[in-house]
Amino acid sequence: MKRYPLTTLAVLLLGIGSMGLSAQESIPDTQSRVDAGRAAVQHFGGSLQGELKQALESGGPLHAIEVCSQRAGEISRDVSTDRRLEIGRTSLRIRNPENAPDAWERLVLESFEARLAAGESPQTMEFYEIYQRGEVREFRYMRAIPVGEACLTCHGQEIRYDVEHALLRMYPDDQARGYEEGQIRGAFTVVQPM
């Protein structure tokens, strides 16, 4: 695991960008970007959750697995295009290898776990900062995805045999099981170019 200097971790955990922007130019722009990130997450999460709920009701968990694997990426691309940003999901325990966290996302996910252990609710847990990646400056936002009761059907500790078989067929290296309600399943992640 890569080690980060303590100052880098402190900046990350405090949500303070290292760009040296003046308060006048950073506060209004930052708030509008946070609002845009929250709205994108609400749209993406709400759309996906609605389709999963409908799939569970009409065809059960096996149908929901198919919908999730097919529609999550499509919804993500649609929201990204409509809102001119990149949105996705990631986790420390991934199901789909395409959702693996980058180094920044991993640090944020680890900080979410520490915040959960300290008693913070994952329902409102978020983090954002201005991030410099090489020559590219971007605004990055993440919001925790709490494990709800419905999530346990495919992500819980006890998964039906047919569901487990379908998951392993689609995701042979699945790590996204064994959760309990109230834990953090992962996070929505948003990148806005600057």
Side-chain angles (χ1 to χ4, degrees):
M1 178 177 192
K2 186 174 179 181
R3 301 271 182 207
Y4 292 88
L6 185 57
T7 55
T8 302
L9 185 57
V11 168
L12 178 66
L13 294 175
L14 292 174
I16 300 171
S18 58
M19 301 306 301
L21 299 174
S22 72
Q24 291 175 331
E25 68 181 329
S26 67
I27 292 172
D29 187 46
T30 299
Q31 189 58 53
S32 67
R33 290 178 183 279
V34 170
D35 292 344
R38 287 174 179 155
V41 164
Q42 185 173 357
H43 184 170
F44 177 39
S47 297
L48 182 57
Q49 187 176 31
E51 291 198 25
L52 287 174
K53 182 179 178 183
Q54 185 177 23
L56 277 168
E57 290 171 358
S58 67
L62 296 178
H63 185 54
I65 292 168
E66 289 177 28
V67 167
C68 190
S69 85
Q70 294 170 7
R71 288 291 295 144
E74 294 171 6
I75 295 169
S76 172
R77 284 187 293 279
D78 291 346
V79 172
S80 295
T81 300
D82 290 347
R83 296 178 184 262
R84 289 183 229 126
L85 47 73
E86 295 174 35
I87 188 167
R89 297 173 300 160
T90 191
S91 179
L92 293 173
R93 293 165 39 192
I94 59 171
R95 175 159 283 162
N96 183 342
E98 293 176 13
N99 296 337
D102 63 22
W104 184 88
E105 291 167 333
R106 179 171 291 283
L107 280 175
V108 175
L109 288 164
E110 289 170 352
S111 76
F112 283 176
E113 291 295 338
R115 290 164 62 182
L116 179 69
E120 187 175 341
S121 169
Q123 298 292 334
T124 56
M125 202 177 288
E126 63 182 1
F127 180 84
Y128 54 88
E129 77 173 346
I130 296 170
Y131 180 74
Q132 188 79 29
R133 182 173 42 153
E135 298 295 315
V136 177
R137 193 169 109 182
E138 53 197 18
F139 180 82
R140 300 193 89 181
Y141 172 87
M142 286 180 69
R143 182 172 186 102
I145 302 172
V147 176
E149 185 179 347
C151 303
L152 299 177
T153 303
C154 297
H155 294 285
Q157 294 184 2
E158 295 183 23
I159 300 174
R160 287 184 357 201
Y161 175 79
D162 58 337
V163 173
E164 183 175 3
H165 182 70
L167 288 170
L168 288 175
R169 187 172 28 86
M170 295 179 85
Y171 306 104
D173 297 319
D174 180 25
Q175 302 166 23
R177 290 185 271 159
Y179 287 97
E180 295 178 9
E181 192 170 353
Q183 290 183 311
I184 296 173
R185 164 66 190 95
F188 293 105
T189 181
V190 177
V191 177
Q192 300 175 32
M194 297 186 72

